Amino acid sequence: MNDMTPTREQREAALEGMGCKRKRVEDIRFTQGKGQYVDDLKLPGMVFGDFVRSPYAHAKVTKIDATEALKLPGVIAVLTAEDLKGVNLAWMPTLAGDVQMVLADGKVLYQNQEVAFVVAENRYIADDAIQLVEVEYEELPVLVDPFQSMAPDAPVLRPDLEGKMEGAHGPRKHHNHIFTWEVGDKDETSKAFAEADVTVKELISYHRTHPSPLETCQCVASMDKVKGELTVWGTFQAPHVIRTVASLLSTIPEHKIHVIAPDIGGGFGNKVGAYPGYICSIVASIVTGVPVKWVEDRMENLSTTSFARDYHMTTEIAAKSDGTVTGLKVHVLADHGGFDACADPSKWPAGFFNIVTGSYDFPAAHLEVDGVYTNKAPGGVAYRCSFRVTEAAYCIERGMDILAQKLGMDPADLRMKNFIKPEQFPYQSALGWEYDSGDYHTAMQKAMDTIGYRELRAEQKAKQEAFKRGETREIMGIGVSFFTEIVGAGPSKNCDILGVAMFDSAEIRVHPTGSVISRMGTKSQGQGHETTWAQIIATEIGIPAADIMVEEGNTDTAPYGLGTYGSRSTPVAGAAIALAARKIRNKAQMIAAHMLEVSEYDLEWDVDGFQVKGNPQARKAMKEIAWAAYHAPPPGMEPGLEAVSYYDPPNMTYPFGAYFCVMDIDVDTGVAKTRRFYALDDCGTRINPMIIEGQVHGGLTEAFAIAMGQEIRYDETGNVMGASFMDFFIPTAVETPHWETDYTVTPSPHHPIGAKGVGESPNVGGVPAFSNAVNDAFQFLGSTHIQMPHDAWRIWQAARDLGAHG
Ligand code: MCN
Ligand code: CUM
């Protein structure tokens, strides 16, 4: 070996494979303003579409007159529900098994609902024309409170469902009822409650909020009437699903539909669903024969395109006097707005909310969810949530704190006592999940030691006494949160979207010179897939990540996949990538054996090539093997070096984490300052520690926003408050706390590289940590539960109601 021969460590470092803090390759274009987003697209002859929207939350639409609008120079068309009926698209199916108006068909069900679609030469003309479309409304009684939805005299929101007492998920109890979803053993649970030493019960509400990505939802639809081909560029988290849905709805054959998701400026779940803007743009392009662009503004995005949460969870826990939990009972009232357009796998009307037993060994549990209609925007689930896992984590983590308070126990100790033990994995939960792996005690202990938990409790106690003596107006809260996530939807046995199983895919092609193009069925919106997917391939086939190009989002070139949401990309596509790479490595082994004139069984893999066992000098690097694959493959072997893998996961993955929030609250102003926030995450094998840290920082910032103020609120007439960034809390660097991150590694036993998802964990664990901190601060004044969001005004009110203002 001469001095120039790289060492094994150097060869390994050159790969920038799994475990490497590789810098994000996509940022080279993003930070230079060179990303290509939908709105950057300018096609010859392209026109613009925009919506006439309803000012009322509930009204009959008695007349739409576009005469004056059509007279405005530059206006090309005005589409209404009547026009869409001609192509059978006035209503569209939702992912949740409901139907949704594309344009108001006789009535509107929420403020800013789409009433007509104006198509004009440019956006300015379209906006002017909107003012000229004359719409007559007849106001109807408005229903905003989900607790009133099923009152006997509640207004009928959905006359189209009148008399239909069977919904997509079973029987309906009332004209505004959508579904009841029941899981668990009711009798067992009742028995646990009857025999309990201690029980607690609380209504824990998770308010309505919105993912609000910086880039709003948008698309460009272009129908080539000569070829009969439709191309749609759009902000799609799941491009293939959009293609299939577009084909089913339009009857254009699927191979003649090209769906392209270019760079996406944040999704956070907002870009999973199908919205009226997409349908109207497609129809308008079919009608006009020119490309039609639709770009939402901020208010439209916040007030109509999906929402998140709006879960009202009556939570009961039964326990022994020593703190051992024996039963959990949860009833959820779920506000779905005017249409049930929740984005869940088909069989899961409340997502994976039945992870609500959390990290604890509940012998018995029972859950019931009722979905109801109200005069609010449809959508739901989306916002860094893993299909209602964030609501579930909030529910159980608040619940455990409330139980600790009743028992007079420390909330961290109560959790430790009830954790599922390492030897219990794989663990069967009372509500039907099989947790793959976990080591909760180790994670919790590490978190407590790092943050100095006992010292903080001592400090808090001293502060409470000082407060009572009138020496300070500041109180201190310590928020404890330990979450178990469930990500990786999902196994075809129980996960599908509109009947398509939720597998994912990867295709890898090694070129003759040893560089690689790879394509996946997922679609990054900021998660850094171009960086991390290359790292998996680099480790698996020994080609440097820098020589591997990752491409997502073009349905013509990428293998069919179900997209990116529910932190499913690593658990599902990540596995497909590893398995496709292993197919390549297997073929490479045969080629290397031929080149070295040995049996393939005499070879072993080493970093970036195959070597003869016991004679490492005799080796062939993957680059040499790639060349041979194209010019001199072994006799009888097909040339080329590429592979495709479709992966149907055997189970979900269950990441977990221990989060602690230390907060100081001024009772006179209601201002809460986060002194420390510590987040320990376990997502199994870590592909890129820096990307994970970025994901955690982002998710925690969103958790902070949600817990501390972000809200989509409605007044009693259904006016949506907070539909602009003036009112909707978006934390900047000024408000955002400093994040301390940490980790443990408990690999997933069923995932080819042991990795679990992480993208949504910080939101799932973060919200309860913040809320528990606020609640913990006020406990000593006799408070049991303060509802979110905890903005200064509401904290001030809570302090006043507890008599803290003297
Ligand atoms: N990762 C890793 N090691 C692991 C797990 C993940 O290095 N053990 C890396 C992955 O390779 C990937 C990233 O972390 O680059 C996120 O992976 P994963 O947890 O699999 O989540 P997804 O890629 O499926 O992303 C979806 C998730 C969701 S559902 C929301 S919502 C959310 C989130 O990602 N939206 C985001 N993070 C976001 N981050 C940005 N910047 N923008 C969004 O819209
Ligand atoms: Cu639930 S928000 Mo993400 O699944 O895109």
Side-chain angles (χ1 to χ4, degrees), residues 74-153:
V75 174
I76 296 155
V78 178
L79 298 181
T80 65
E82 292 310 312
D83 302 309
L84 295 182
K85 280 179 187 168
V87 285
N88 219 3
L89 281 174
W91 292 68
M92 61 179 181
T94 70
L95 292 177
D98 196 359
V99 285
Q100 175 179 353
M101 287 178 215
V102 175
L103 291 170
D105 184 14
K107 74 180 292 191
V108 287
L109 283 165
Y110 53 93
Q111 191 180 47
N112 288 351
Q113 186 178 331
E114 299 80 359
V115 174
F117 192 64
V118 174
V119 185
E121 277 169 15
N122 64 47
R123 210 176 163 159
Y124 305 98
I125 299 174
D127 275 0
D128 288 345
I130 284 169
Q131 316 302 323
L132 299 174
V133 177
E134 227 183 284
V135 188
E136 276 175 21
Y137 299 93
E138 205 173 280
E139 284 185 75
L140 293 166
V142 173
L143 176 64
V144 286
D145 180 358
F147 288 92
Q148 298 302 320
S149 278
M150 290 202 277
D153 57 347

Side-chain angles (χ1 to χ4, degrees), residues 28-241:
I28 295 167
R29 63 177 189 280
F30 293 158
T31 54
Q32 295 181 52
K34 295 277 164 55
Q36 282 295 318
Y37 300 91
V38 172
D39 201 23
D40 292 321
L41 205 70
K42 291 182 179 64
L43 300 179
M46 187 171 76
V47 298
F48 293 77
D50 208 346
F51 284 107
V52 175
R53 293 178 180 275
S54 167
Y56 301 109
H58 196 199
K60 279 189 188 161
V61 178
T62 52
K63 187 179 141 195
I64 304 175
D65 184 352
T67 318
E68 289 306 309
L70 286 164
K71 283 184 194 157
L72 189 72
V75 174
I76 296 155
V78 178
L79 298 181
T80 65
E82 292 310 312
D83 302 309
L84 295 182
K85 280 179 187 168
V87 285
N88 219 3
L89 281 174
W91 292 68
M92 61 179 181
T94 70
L95 292 177
D98 196 359
V99 285
Q100 175 179 353
M101 287 178 215
V102 175
L103 291 170
D105 184 14
K107 74 180 292 191
V108 287
L109 283 165
Y110 53 93
Q111 191 180 47
N112 288 351
Q113 186 178 331
E114 299 80 359
V115 174
F117 192 64
V118 174
V119 185
E121 277 169 15
N122 64 47
R123 210 176 163 159
Y124 305 98
I125 299 174
D127 275 0
D128 288 345
I130 284 169
Q131 316 302 323
L132 299 174
V133 177
E134 227 183 284
V135 188
E136 276 175 21
Y137 299 93
E138 205 173 280
E139 284 185 75
L140 293 166
V142 173
L143 176 64
V144 286
D145 180 358
F147 288 92
Q148 298 302 320
S149 278
M150 290 202 277
D153 57 347
V156 177
L157 302 195
R158 294 285 301 273
D160 62 299
L161 300 178
E162 196 95 79
K164 248 187 103 181
M165 295 322 278
E166 191 67 27
H169 303 285
R172 298 168 65 223
K173 299 179 205 160
H174 180 277
H175 54 256
N176 293 328
H177 183 237
I178 308 172
F179 63 84
T180 298
W181 188 53
E182 197 185 339
V183 198
D185 191 325
K186 198 171 186 170
D187 295 338
E188 274 286 298
T189 309
S190 299
K191 197 162 153 263
F193 274 80
E195 291 167 1
D197 298 330
V198 182
T199 62
V200 289
K201 180 175 182 178
E202 190 70 53
L203 170 62
I204 297 170
S205 278
Y206 197 145
H207 57 288
R208 184 176 270 242
T209 180
H210 194 282
S212 58
L214 263 197
E215 178 202 35
T216 59
C217 295
Q218 35 200 276
C219 73
V220 176
S222 179
M223 183 72 202
D224 182 330
K225 289 198 176 180
V226 177
K227 290 190 189 159
E229 291 181 23
L230 171 71
T231 307
V232 188
W233 292 263
T235 46
F236 306 133
Q237 289 182 227
H240 283 95
V241 178

